[in-house]
Amino acid sequence: MSRPRIFVPRDAGALAVGADEVERAIAAALCRRGIDAEIVRTGSRGLFWLEPMIEVAVQGARIAYGPVTSADVEALFDAGVLEGKPHALRLGKPEEIPYLKRQTRLTFARCGIVDRLSIADYRAHGGFKGLERALSLGPAATVEEVVRSGLRGRGGAGFPTGIKWRTTAQAQAPQKYIVCNADEGDSGTFSDRMIMEGDPFVLIEGMAIAGMAVGATKGFIYIRSEYPHAVETFGRALAAAGAEGYLGPRVAGSAHEFDIEIRVGAGAYVCGEETALLDSLEGKRGMVRAKPPLPAHHGLFGQPTVVNNVISLASVPIILAEGADAYAAFGLGRSRGTMPIQLAGNVKYGGLFEAGFGVTLGELVDDIGGGTASGRPVRAVQVGGPLGAYFPRALFDTPFDYEAFAARDGLIGHGGIVVFDDTVDMARQARFAMEFCAIESCGKCTPCRIGSTRGVEVIDRIVRGENQAANLALIEELCATMKLGSLCALGGFTPYPVLSALKHFPEDFGAAPDRAAAE
Amino acid sequence: MSRFETWNKDRAREIIAQHAEQDGAALPILHALHEAFGYVHRDAVTMVASALNLSRAEVYGIVTFYHDFRSTPPGTHVLKLCRAEACQSRGGDALAARAREALHVDWGEITADQRVTLEPVFCLGLCACAPAAMLDERVFGRLDAQLLDTLLSATRQL
């Protein structure tokens, strides 16, 4: 019999609920029982209500147990966990868990399965096939393949990735850059973090393909400081990829040079905006730049630069490996491929759900997410982070698709869905949206810098019942000014949560004396 | 025992020199100083400015722009509580109020015994196991009053 393998996630979401303690308990149990087994640290499968979820390999299949605490470990060994024997925490084959079974895992095909830092494991699970095909296609055909796949920026803006690449490829300059935007600041989102911690090589492969395709020899990844585990794992993955020749002067033995450097953010949400991110990378305050010039022409240090989100870049290897048509076969309308949707907040089954575009919001929240964790009715969901709209149940038939959400005054953003139960005070949420914008504004444009602070004040006056009609008109006007007059999405999209809360939950903005006193 | 070194100009000079040669060196330098001392000392601003050929005002502007950089030393421990929407939906505001009350501090302040600095954070990416917190380098999910109290008492013992 081969050496048993036990898989324990090292995703920050699993660590936050005790995965390291479980790993130590397993190591101690193995030692005490004199069992020679290998503990493999993986990413997370994304079923966070089951974390820490451990798995064992039995006859070529995986058997999962969860949620496991360190106190459960002895009993699991007594029950015969290494042979996949029954126990109250036994979940069976993870692929058969409905939450996973219903997904289409393309970008997240390996996450939670492979040893996150093993190149051999990555290759054994189809890794580097995309890079190999891209190298055989050559730069121009690789760019066209990404264009044809219909991939749109997964960071939130939804701009076609292939068009960005083509623009940068056509620019002439002594140095071009690939910049990976890993400043995943939206509350309710964690897919970038999961990829960096669970399958970092797919992102390295995607960046290397992008570099080859547009003629960039240098890549930067800007990871937010709130993700220390991602910074550490990705750094180790870079070293491993370099040692195996996937980065450096001859990428995978080709004539293409490409290297990646990690830079860590410093807690500024606005640096997730691509031009502010570039200023921050240059060592300045993260101030938003006016566009044009586009980063594709005039980006990092003034050179042509592709700025792509983590998930956009991590989706490139599978597009190249399986072909643009195979990827584009998934999806709806102009939203092609799959989207890693993140179910978060007050939801029973919180986690990562990758699926083709088109699944409805109601299916996601009620069916897949199982409603609220508190057991109370779902009242509102915020889709797309702090700049996304609050949707009431009445809009749960909206399909998850860039255009469908835009048509209902919302956005899908980076794919985060935060669920709230009926105890939520929507006036408070609207106020928070303005407050957050005031805290995070870079200060360059007036509508965002001043408007957000005035917005907080006006909402306070509405809630206190002061000149309500006039102040409601004023907040709408202020939102219109911010939307049309701001330089970037921070000021421009803050009106989404504010106006949607006002429109769908006007009853929360009444003059309730107890609420006015509470703040 | 603080996790950080006491401010030392020579040590700071060494750190600055280690990172000054790269493109866009300001943030890597400030991060390295922060890691060593827990904050950016007033004198470091002048030193970074002269190393990077920037004005003091520019470096001061960078330090104050980013929420991460402190201008005064933190407590022995830093407790960050997530204040963003996903954590709000699971009672994060009430936990934050509990922490402020227990520590007798507001956001960004340090306790009277110098043991804990309480800081807000806008999202740790642990939104599927909200509410979330970070104590020094460790992350915690599914935070409730009991776990918060455990963390707070740990800061008094360690």
Side-chain angles (χ1 to χ4, degrees):
Chain A
M1 199 180 126
S2 65
R3 196 172 171 222
R5 302 181 90 195
I6 308 174
F7 303 86
V8 183
R10 211 178 173 280
D11 179 277
L15 295 180
V17 292
D20 268 350
E21 289 73 13
V22 169
E23 192 255 3
R24 279 196 290 275
I26 291 172
L30 290 171
C31 183
R32 208 160 32 239
R33 288 160 196 259
I35 303 169
D36 179 33
E38 184 191 358
I39 301 176
V40 181
R41 298 308 293 268
T42 63
S44 171
R45 294 264 196 174
L47 284 58
F48 282 102
W49 76 98
L50 294 175
E51 291 291 2
M53 183 172 99
I54 66 165
E55 296 178 26
V56 290
V58 183
Q59 290 162 350
R62 292 280 192 83
I63 300 293
Y65 295 82
V68 177
T69 67
S70 52
D72 296 320
V73 169
E74 272 302 317
L76 281 167
F77 272 87
D78 288 341
V81 65
L82 292 180
E83 291 84 47
K85 297 264 177 69
H87 182 277
L89 296 177
R90 189 179 187 275
L91 300 163
K93 293 181 180 170
E95 299 81 11
E96 297 298 320
I97 298 172
Y99 197 88
L100 260 183
K101 199 172 183 178
R102 294 178 67 174
Q103 301 195 31
T104 304
R105 289 245 167 151
L106 301 182
T107 308
F108 279 77
R110 276 171 300 264
C111 192
I113 298 175
V114 295
D115 177 342
R116 69 212 203 286
L117 289 171
S118 162
I119 292 259
D121 219 8
Y122 182 66
R123 286 200 68 98
H125 287 81
F128 293 120
K129 283 202 180 124
L131 177 62
E132 281 155 22
R133 173 139 183 272
L135 288 170
S136 70
L137 284 176
T142 298
V143 170
E144 291 318 307
E145 192 79 1
V146 175
V147 172
R148 222 153 48 80
S149 75
L151 178 67
R152 293 166 69 177
R154 297 289 189 248
F159 188 83
T161 304
I163 305 296
K164 274 191 179 181
W165 287 24
R166 195 192 273 159
T167 312
T168 307
Q170 286 164 353
Q172 300 295 320
Q175 177 71 57
K176 299 180 191 177
Y177 295 104
I178 304 297
V179 169
C180 175
N181 182 347
D183 195 32
E184 183 179 52
D186 290 356
S187 175
T189 67
F190 42 82
S191 59
D192 296 356
R193 183 184 62 64
M194 283 182 66
I195 279 289
M196 291 186 280
E197 294 173 358
D199 193 14
F201 295 125
V202 78
L203 179 54
I204 292 172
E205 184 181 349
M207 289 181 73
I209 293 170
M212 185 279 294
V214 308
T217 54
K218 174 96 191 186
F220 283 95
I221 178 166
Y222 186 91
I223 309 179
R224 60 202 299 264
S225 63
E226 293 85 346
Y227 285 180
H229 302 91
V231 172
E232 191 224 327
T233 302
F234 200 77
R236 290 172 66 185
L238 280 183
E244 298 269 344
Y246 288 104
L247 292 172
R250 293 171 53 80
V251 171
S254 71
H256 297 280
E257 178 188 349
F258 192 68
D259 256 313
I260 300 173
E261 194 177 322
I262 300 180
R263 288 295 171 91
V264 179
Y269 176 76
V270 74
C271 290
E273 194 285 330
E274 63 177 4
T275 61
L277 187 152
L278 293 175
D279 265 23
S280 185
L281 269 179
E282 291 178 7
K284 304 172 191 161
R285 293 161 68 99
M287 304 284 276
V288 174
R289 301 177 184 174
K291 288 192 275 195
L294 298 170
H297 291 133
H298 192 91
L300 186 62
F301 302 114
Q303 303 300 315
T305 304
V306 168
V307 187
N308 282 156
N309 165 258
V310 170
I311 300 299
S312 310
L313 287 163
S315 299
V316 164
I318 189 118
I319 289 169
L320 267 299
E322 303 293 327
D325 297 332
Y327 188 78
F330 295 98
L332 175 77
R334 284 174 51 217
S335 304
R336 307 313 313 172
T338 58
M339 181 78 190
I341 296 161
Q342 299 124 88
L343 292 168
N346 196 340
V347 64
K348 194 169 178 191
Y349 304 126
L352 184 110
F353 193 87
E354 181 176 355
F357 287 94
V359 53
T360 68
L361 186 56
E363 281 175 77
L364 287 164
V365 173
D366 292 330
D367 206 8
I368 296 157
T372 63
S374 62
R376 302 182 67 93
V378 174
R379 180 147 185 255
V381 295
Q382 187 177 28
V383 184
L387 309 176
Y390 285 99
F391 275 36
R393 290 204 76 93
L395 297 181
F396 273 19
D397 61 337
T398 315
F400 213 84
D401 161 277
Y402 292 103
E403 280 71 32
F405 267 75
R408 289 182 159 177
D409 294 323
L411 49 107
I412 64 170
H414 187 45
I417 299 179
V418 177
V419 180
F420 292 82
D421 70 13
D422 62 349
T423 60
V424 68
D425 176 348
M426 294 307 296
R428 198 184 166 104
Q429 297 309 121
R431 183 190 195 276
F432 176 77
M434 285 290 188
E435 186 190 359
F436 183 71
C437 181
I439 294 169
E440 299 298 337
S441 176
C442 83
K444 185 156 181 164
C445 70
T446 316
C448 174
R449 184 183 69 244
I450 309 285
S452 51
T453 297
R454 293 290 97 86
V456 171
E457 295 163 1
V458 176
I459 292 172
D460 281 344
R461 285 203 288 272
I462 293 170
V463 171
R464 281 200 302 267
E466 282 175 35
N467 298 325
Q468 268 207 336
N471 278 310
L472 283 168
L474 184 60
I475 194 81
E476 301 242 354
E477 207 174 297
L478 176 64
C479 282
T481 304
M482 288 176 72
K483 203 167 169 178
L484 300 172
S486 298
L487 208 47
C488 83
L490 180 51
F493 288 3
T494 292
Y496 278 110
V498 176
L499 293 176
S500 58
L502 271 163
K503 181 177 173 188
H504 303 301
F505 307 94
E507 63 275 21
D508 285 17
F509 292 81
D514 53 343
R515 184 161 55 231
E519 195 47 53
Chain B
M1 204 28 214
S2 173
R3 296 174 294 135
F4 303 108
E5 303 169 33
T6 322
W7 168 250
N8 175 318
K9 241 179 156 161
D10 293 328
R11 176 87 176 97
R13 193 168 293 120
E14 204 176 286
I15 291 168
I16 292 167
Q18 264 168 23
H19 297 273
E21 294 308 311
Q22 56 193 311
D23 291 330
L27 258 68
I29 290 176
L30 292 171
H31 271 306
L33 289 169
H34 225 254
E35 203 168 297
F37 305 112
Y39 70 111
V40 180
H41 191 278
R42 191 169 8 105
D43 294 349
V45 173
T46 317
M47 292 164 73
V48 173
S50 104
L52 299 183
N53 200 22
L54 297 170
S55 70
R56 270 193 312 161
E58 282 170 304
V59 177
Y60 179 79
I62 297 165
V63 172
T64 52
F65 180 86
Y66 294 98
H67 300 305
D68 277 5
F69 300 133
R70 303 180 196 101
S71 295
T72 51
T76 313
H77 301 283
V78 177
L79 178 64
K80 296 186 185 204
L81 294 179
C82 179
R83 293 191 62 204
E85 291 90 338
C87 289
Q88 292 169 10
S89 78
R90 299 299 308 271
D93 288 348
L95 291 172
R98 188 184 182 91
R100 294 207 307 270
E101 198 172 309
L103 297 170
H104 302 289
V105 292
D106 204 347
W107 298 116
E109 290 178 357
I110 184 167
T111 52
D113 62 3
Q114 308 292 308
R115 293 198 69 84
V116 187
T117 293
L118 181 68
E119 291 182 347
V121 61
F122 290 96
C123 199
L124 293 164
L126 306 172
C127 322
C129 13
M134 192 173 201
L135 177 59
D136 301 329
E137 274 88 39
R138 289 191 63 192
V139 285
F140 297 89
R142 299 179 196 148
L143 194 70
D144 54 16
Q146 196 190 342
L147 177 55
L148 176 65
D149 291 350
T150 308
L151 297 183
L152 292 175
S153 69
T155 62
R156 286 190 284 274
Q157 284 151 16
L158 295 170

